[in-house]
Amino acid sequence: MITVWREGIARGDMQTGDDREGICRPVTKQEPKAWYGVRTFYRWLTWEDRPYEERVVVFRARSLDDAIERAERESAEYAREGDFEVLDMVQAYRISDGDEEVGVGTEVFSQLHALDVPADEFLDRYDSGPAHTEIG
């Protein structure tokens, strides 16, 4: 499996009838699809301190580009519903091919960081303070 990223996220509206919920559609032999985990980034506009958010959402898609397009549409809708700003980066990761099962323990995203720094410095760089995993 490889990690690939592409900058430039769409900010357009969701189109009625699109199949962003492709995970729910039956996949036939004529439509080979793989599972992809796609990481998107946001800035909260109405919450105190305007925190950033990272999300990883899974999609079934015909290709890496198709998965990114689906994620761009989904992220635009997510941002519109929550009053978030969509940031200009998308990272996609192929989870499995075709009919391979995705379930408990499946790695849905991975990224390598080629940095020549000690482990504590690396962790400090990516530790942004208290994390909010549930909002209620």
Side-chain angles (χ1 to χ4, degrees):
M1 294 184 219
I2 57 171
T3 302
V4 183
W5 64 274
R6 182 179 90 187
E7 292 186 5
I9 196 162
R11 288 188 170 80
D13 293 337
M14 293 287 294
Q15 295 181 3
T16 306
D18 77 61
D19 64 340
R20 72 180 175 107
E21 293 87 13
I23 9 182
C24 299
R25 287 189 331 142
V27 178
T28 65
K29 296 284 184 202
Q30 294 85 354
E31 293 183 327
K33 290 188 177 184
W35 284 103
Y36 293 86
V38 185
R39 183 179 180 202
T40 51
F41 303 83
Y42 309 85
R43 182 81 189 252
W44 288 46
L45 300 175
T46 57
W47 210 35
E48 185 179 338
D49 297 330
R50 297 181 45 172
Y52 292 96
E53 178 180 0
E54 300 177 37
R55 294 173 70 229
V56 176
V57 179
V58 295
F59 296 91
R60 283 203 82 148
R62 290 176 189 85
S63 67
L64 184 71
D65 285 339
D66 183 33
I68 290 171
E69 289 172 15
R70 290 169 187 264
E72 288 174 336
R73 290 191 309 262
E74 189 277 340
S75 69
E77 179 69 20
Y78 176 77
R80 193 170 28 263
E81 290 174 1
D83 199 20
F84 309 136
E85 173 188 3
V86 180
L87 303 183
D88 289 331
M89 186 167 62
V90 173
Q91 297 177 322
Y93 176 78
R94 190 177 72 212
I95 298 169
S96 69
D97 291 322
D99 295 331
E100 291 178 39
E101 189 172 319
V102 174
V104 174
T106 300
E107 180 177 273
V108 297
F109 195 84
S110 176
Q111 180 177 356
L112 299 176
H113 297 270
L115 301 172
D116 187 18
V117 298
D120 59 343
E121 185 177 331
F122 171 79
L123 293 175
D124 286 343
R125 187 179 290 193
Y126 289 94
D127 178 14
S128 59
H132 300 280
T133 57
E134 184 176 321
I135 298 171

